[in-house]
Amino acid sequence: MSTTPSRNASIFQGNLLSRAVIDAVVKLDPRKLMKNPVIFVTEVVAVLVTVMWIRDIQAANGDAWFSGQIAAWLIFTVLFATFAEAVAEGRGKAQAASLRQSRTDVIARRYLTRDMAHGLTENVGAADLVPGDIVLVEAGGIIPLDGEIIEGGAAVNEAAITGESAPVIREAGGDRSAVTGGTTVLSDAIKVRITAAPGETFIDRMIALVEGAERQKTPNELALSVLLSGMTLIFLIAVVTLWGIAGYSGSILSVTVLSALFVTLIPTTIGGLLSAIGIAGMDRLIRFNVLATSGRAVEAAGDVNTLLLDKTGTVTFGNRMATEFIPLPGKSARTLAEAVVLASLGDDTPEGRSIVALAKSDFDLDVPNLAGEETTIIPFSAQTRLSGIDFRGRAVRKGAIDAILREAGVTMAVAPDGFRQSVEKIARSGGTPLGVTENGELLGVVHLKDVVKPNIRERFAALRAMGIKTVMVTGDNPITAAAIASEAGVDDFIAEATPEDKLAYIRKEQDGGRLIAMCGDGTNDAPALAQADVGVAMQTGTQAAREAGNMVDLDSDPTKLIEVVEIGKQLLMTRGSLTTFSIANDVAKYFAILPAIFAATYAVAGKPTGPLDDLNIMNLGTPQSAIISAIIFNALIIPLLVPLALRGVRYRPSGATSLLRRNLLIYGVGGLIVPFIGIKLVDLVVHNLFGA
């Protein structure tokens, strides 16, 4: 996959970091911080301690150095938290800037009438276009706004969107008719019906999404924010209670000490990294050239239970090609070819075009000129699964076997032996048979061949290890579907599937409490994409499909759905792991600091310390150095964890039990141990160098 440099640039580039520093200061605005309760409370405490510091300076009571240190590091804690979010946003803003530069003022050739009857055009600015207008774009021209090709075909450079410089073919009809504003036509000429208003194009949506302008907290983030807010309130009550207990025991704790203790105990680590984790998850998708319309979709991808995958283009390479005409006994191959060419006049799919190409190469047959003839063309549709033509008393049909059998008024059991044997042979080989009839009489079968993608079986096995069920959806008959499903290694398949079948399956799974992901590119996929919890639309697909999905794959690679699921799981794992680490940190800091604070409580005559000093297992120098060391550690751990939050916890396909065990062992136990080591090292510096 080819991507633009802006997508692959290091997040720690100098220009990104300098911009992040400025944004971090801007984010100190309390109105912005209120969205993050833990860090907002930390900022309030920092202001309170700063006031205490100013008071101590004026009173000259000797505590100014201590309160000044606490105030400074509390401010740094808030800054590091906002800096983490700003760094995470940096890549998105850089990409948004690159996209803005790609936009140019385009002069479009708009037809004076939308029916193009007279072929007259006028030059207008792209900003003057409205949905429904039809424009002519010739070689070298820029497509002004998003639209659908209604006539013609052309090679289009979509590097501004996908980062891929290789041109792609866009043409009227089928599922590759959508074009994006800002892309360049390299050859031929196309007529485009505008479908998006100025400011609402795909590029405009990309800019808004990647720079975070439309980012909202996901349900998991909201739930975690509520949990962290609850924990903050609990620790506030605990600290106030501790003040009363200390006073009763003869120890006087200052407001500065209590404030510092409070900040070290609340989950500031995950509070400072929570937004960065969510933004980084979206950024990882962007680096895979997948655009998510919301963080909710990324999270849902991590919880997916079932993947619904189209066979063509996902499990197989797609673009099935006609390889053979197999007539029934008594019929000639040429007669069959002539009939199937006529029936393909209403089939603009790659398969339909390959049939015409095969007839041309094998029998030198061209598409007949029916101008002036009284004809009725039956276009191919996903519902009927056939195409055909009626003219001169002939009714020719070509399509899926079950549809053709209904057309002929017979069942497979009573179909001619030659027809039945040909269908079974093609199906067992993994190919797709198409039946052909004329006036209700079976003529023969067309062999469409497709190839399963390499290594796809291993990828499905990895998904199975994650606990994800894979279901292949195809319009093929059950025998063909079973052969390809077995070769690819999917868990289940749906044969002879219609759009209604996809929708019904998704609803059935969702009613059972499972989350469904699917991909699609056609208008017929739009209902299922909208119904699925994770709907990945292909950028090359129709406008309806792109609007229905909650993700868009800029590379139009259906297999990327697997990476989307992995990124979603990585996002959830990262958030869970760092939450575990943060809470474990709080527990460790609690037992590291409190013994040092109360070391002198109940002191025995002639000794500076009392029996509670035995709990000071870290042997911290003084109560003041213990507090300062904890505050410094609490501040520094946030930027130290920023790379992990942005990169994400490494994901390995395994069961939930294994993942939980690994999380508790590494981030739970690690979160307990690291503060003891870190605070002790900081204390050695603070106590020995500064005498605190």
Side-chain angles (χ1 to χ4, degrees), residues 67-250:
S67 57
Q69 284 282 310
I70 298 298
W73 283 105
L74 288 178
I75 293 172
F76 278 128
T77 302
V78 180
L79 273 172
F80 289 152
T82 57
F83 177 76
E85 183 176 358
V87 169
E89 292 176 347
R91 188 188 294 263
K93 290 183 178 180
Q95 188 183 359
S98 175
L99 289 170
R100 284 194 178 94
Q101 292 175 359
S102 70
R103 297 191 302 188
T104 57
D105 294 329
V106 178
I107 301 299
R109 293 178 60 186
R110 180 175 64 185
Y111 283 91
L112 294 177
T113 57
R114 294 184 176 181
D115 60 4
M116 302 179 297
H118 304 290
L120 300 177
T121 62
E122 61 178 343
N123 293 334
V124 298
D128 297 322
L129 295 172
V130 296
D133 285 346
I134 297 174
V135 298
L136 174 65
V137 187
E138 296 177 312
I142 298 176
I143 298 171
L145 296 173
D146 296 356
E148 297 271 359
I149 300 176
I150 60 174
E151 185 178 318
V156 180
N157 185 342
E158 297 183 342
I161 307 296
T162 66
E164 176 60 61
S165 60
V168 294
I169 303 300
R170 297 287 175 262
E171 55 191 344
D175 295 336
R176 294 187 176 265
S177 60
V179 289
T180 305
T183 57
T184 304
V185 175
L186 300 179
S187 67
D188 304 299
I190 53 176
K191 296 175 182 177
V192 179
R193 179 183 289 113
I194 301 301
T195 58
E200 299 176 1
T201 65
F202 189 72
I203 288 184
D204 293 317
R205 290 168 54 201
M206 281 185 66
I207 291 172
L209 290 166
V210 300
E211 69 181 1
E214 296 185 8
R215 174 177 148 76
Q216 297 179 343
K217 285 189 176 182
T218 64
N220 281 347
E221 281 184 288
L222 290 172
L224 188 54
S225 294
V226 171
L227 173 63
L228 299 181
S229 300
M231 293 181 63
T232 301
L233 181 60
I234 291 171
F235 279 118
L236 176 61
I237 297 172
V239 169
V240 172
T241 304
L242 193 64
W243 175 75
I245 294 174
Y248 180 80
S249 303

Side-chain angles (χ1 to χ4, degrees), residues 610-651:
L612 293 179
D613 188 53
D614 294 337
L615 298 176
N616 185 15
I617 58 176
M618 297 174 64
N619 196 29
L620 300 178
T622 65
Q624 285 191 335
S625 72
I627 289 290
I628 293 175
S629 300
I631 285 290
I632 293 175
F633 175 83
N634 194 65
L636 294 179
I637 197 66
I638 295 176
L640 290 176
L641 290 175
V642 166
L644 179 61
L646 300 182
R647 185 180 64 253
V649 174
R650 184 179 179 184
Y651 175 71

Side-chain angles (χ1 to χ4, degrees), residues 385 400-402 423 427 431-433 474-482 493 495-496:
R385 299 167 58 237
I401 296 300
D402 60 322
V423 169
T432 300
T474 177
D476 293 335
N477 64 76
I479 298 176
T480 302
F493 65 89
E496 299 177 347

